[in-house]
Amino acid sequence: MAASPHSVSDVMTHTAVAVGRHAGYKEVVELMAQWKISAVPVLAGEGRVIGVVSEADLLLKEEHRDDDPTRTDTPPERSAKAAALTAGDLMSAPAVTVRADATIAEAARIMARRRIKRLPVVDGGGLLEGVVSRSDLLKVFLRTDEEIAAEIRRDVLDRVPAAERLEVTVQDGVVTLGGDLPDRTLVPLLARAVRAVEGTVDIRLELSRPVPAGS
């Protein structure tokens, strides 16, 4: 059985495409087109991430191509990027990054909050270790139903004595727990634990209380 991916390091691309601060505008465009990526980290020194150039940064040049140079209502930062010729002037800084040991959920929250598609992955010193994208984070949903079910039995049900006899089935990532559960206060705990298993799309509870003896 394949190990469950829990951290960014499990799903990230370890060979990252990056540029130096002096890379030219066209060089950056050509590199992104060649590798079919939407952003590149900008590095300084021995590989420290100092910024990121995205498609949005590059498109400012086209967006403001016909602007009247006498206009004063365009924000200075946008005007500067529209006129930029190198990655150092184009980049958004400081870079939004993530550590390799961050959870997949943490990386997903950063992407959602900052509305970005790719995150440079850095070590404790800010050196580039790789890149993680939205599509990388979705890899957890490629786990088979059998892998998900086996992990739930091993890491969830077998660790809760009152739940070890429950049956678990998984269909297209949707987990169903069925059987007798004497202690119904465990339901929220079990639901949270199952949802935390990577690859789980949803959970359905078909639980019943055991019939008392002599009934």
Side-chain angles (χ1 to χ4, degrees), residues 18-31 40-43 50 53 58 84-91:
V19 298
R21 66 164 73 237
H22 299 299
Y25 181 98
K26 190 169 183 179
E27 179 184 349
V28 175
V29 174
E30 290 174 342
L31 194 64
V40 291
V42 181
L43 308 182
I50 58 173
V53 176
L58 293 164
L85 299 177
T86 65
D89 293 329
L90 285 160
M91 69 184 185

Side-chain angles (χ1 to χ4, degrees), residues 8 11-12 38 96-98 103-121 131-138:
V8 168
V11 298
M12 73 183 194
S38 59
V96 180
T97 62
V98 68
T103 66
I104 293 173
E106 288 171 335
R109 285 193 291 270
I110 293 172
M111 287 186 183
R113 290 169 183 167
R114 302 303 292 266
R115 299 181 181 178
I116 52 181
K117 300 177 182 179
R118 295 167 63 84
L119 282 172
V121 182
V131 172
V132 65
S133 66
R134 289 176 179 176
S135 59
D136 291 328
L137 300 184
L138 289 173

Side-chain angles (χ1 to χ4, degrees), residues 48-190:
R48 182 170 53 87
V49 179
I50 58 173
V52 172
V53 176
S54 68
E55 291 173 330
D57 295 321
L58 293 164
L59 280 171
L60 285 171
K61 187 175 292 293
E62 190 65 26
E63 179 183 340
H64 294 281
R65 180 180 300 279
D66 298 327
D67 280 2
D68 183 341
T70 64
R71 287 181 56 179
T72 59
D73 58 342
T74 301
E77 181 181 355
R78 294 177 68 85
S79 295
K81 285 192 177 185
L85 299 177
T86 65
D89 293 329
L90 285 160
M91 69 184 185
S92 297
V96 180
T97 62
V98 68
R99 294 283 294 274
D101 58 358
T103 66
I104 293 173
E106 288 171 335
R109 285 193 291 270
I110 293 172
M111 287 186 183
R113 290 169 183 167
R114 302 303 292 266
R115 299 181 181 178
I116 52 181
K117 300 177 182 179
R118 295 167 63 84
L119 282 172
V121 182
V122 299
D123 64 12
L127 299 181
L128 184 67
E129 291 192 324
V131 172
V132 65
S133 66
R134 289 176 179 176
S135 59
D136 291 328
L137 300 184
L138 289 173
K139 289 176 183 176
V140 297
F141 294 105
L142 297 178
R143 300 185 75 200
T144 67
D145 292 340
E146 291 74 17
E147 289 171 347
I148 296 169
E151 182 173 340
I152 291 171
R153 292 189 191 98
R154 182 187 69 245
D155 294 344
V156 179
L157 301 185
D158 287 353
R159 297 184 181 186
V160 181
E164 59 187 3
R165 294 185 180 181
L166 292 180
E167 296 180 357
V168 55
T169 58
V170 184
Q171 179 67 41
D172 295 330
V174 178
V175 178
T176 300
L177 293 182
D180 296 333
L181 183 65
D183 186 354
R184 303 310 288 265
T185 63
L186 292 174
V187 170
L189 172 67
L190 290 173

